[in-house]
Amino acid sequence: MRHLVVPMQLDDEAARLDALLPQFQCRQCGYVDCAHYAQALARKKASPTLCTPGGKRVAEELARFMRVLLPENIVFEERAAQCVEIIEADCIGCTRCLRECPLDALIGASKRMHSVLPLLCSGCGLCIPACPVDCMKLVPTAHVWTNRDADDARTRYHARLQRLLKQSLPRMAKQDETHKRRQAVQEALSKARARRLQWAQQRGEKNG
């Protein structure tokens, strides 16, 4: 079961740091999303060099905002813009990739061929491992990711989090009710065992 990410309310400094990030939501920094990374940066608990898709430019902007110096010997791996491509003939319509895309850049339905919305795809690649038939790959794209793309991606991502959270509420309530019932049964069994033990001890004292 996938971990449910709860939308984070950022303070002013963290929000300004988040605005400098490309909003791929790729998790390559080690955090669940850009907002959590920005919050860690604001609290001085993370390095400004962790955003792989942002590369040197974003690292320098983050460091400038944080008023820190980047390590002199650090080397950034600059990558060309990429986008996911689906091999249509091999797609089985399992919808697993749709559940993994953080930016809602994939469309499709169960047992129907899926498609990529190229202008919305950041090329994060999170959907690729989810495909059971290996019909997805990263390919070069001429689309240059802009600040406008980042803003739109942030909006789509947080709307997605809210949607997933709303969808999960009935399941969470059911799980909570199940937990309470199991806890009540365990408490009843514990009380029954304690009464039996007490009765046995009392009976032993009488016989003695």
Side-chain angles (χ1 to χ4, degrees), residues 85-92 113-114 133-137:
E85 182 179 85
I86 295 178
I87 304 173
E88 297 179 354
D90 296 336
C91 178
I92 60 175
M113 186 186 70
H114 303 339
V133 293
D134 294 328
C135 74
M136 310 182 77
K137 61 181 179 180

Side-chain angles (χ1 to χ4, degrees), residues 8-56:
M8 172 171 281
Q9 297 296 323
L10 299 177
D11 56 38
D12 182 64
E13 184 176 359
R16 292 169 67 185
L17 286 163
D18 184 59
L20 299 175
L21 298 173
Q23 303 301 315
F24 278 26
Q25 317 301 341
C26 61
R27 308 174 197 161
Q28 294 185 59
C29 61
Y31 293 85
V32 295
D33 58 20
C34 295
H36 282 76
Y37 178 39
Q39 189 67 64
L41 288 170
R43 295 175 178 175
K44 305 297 189 293
K45 293 183 178 181
S47 167
T49 64
L50 301 181
C51 181
T52 300
K56 182 179 180 181

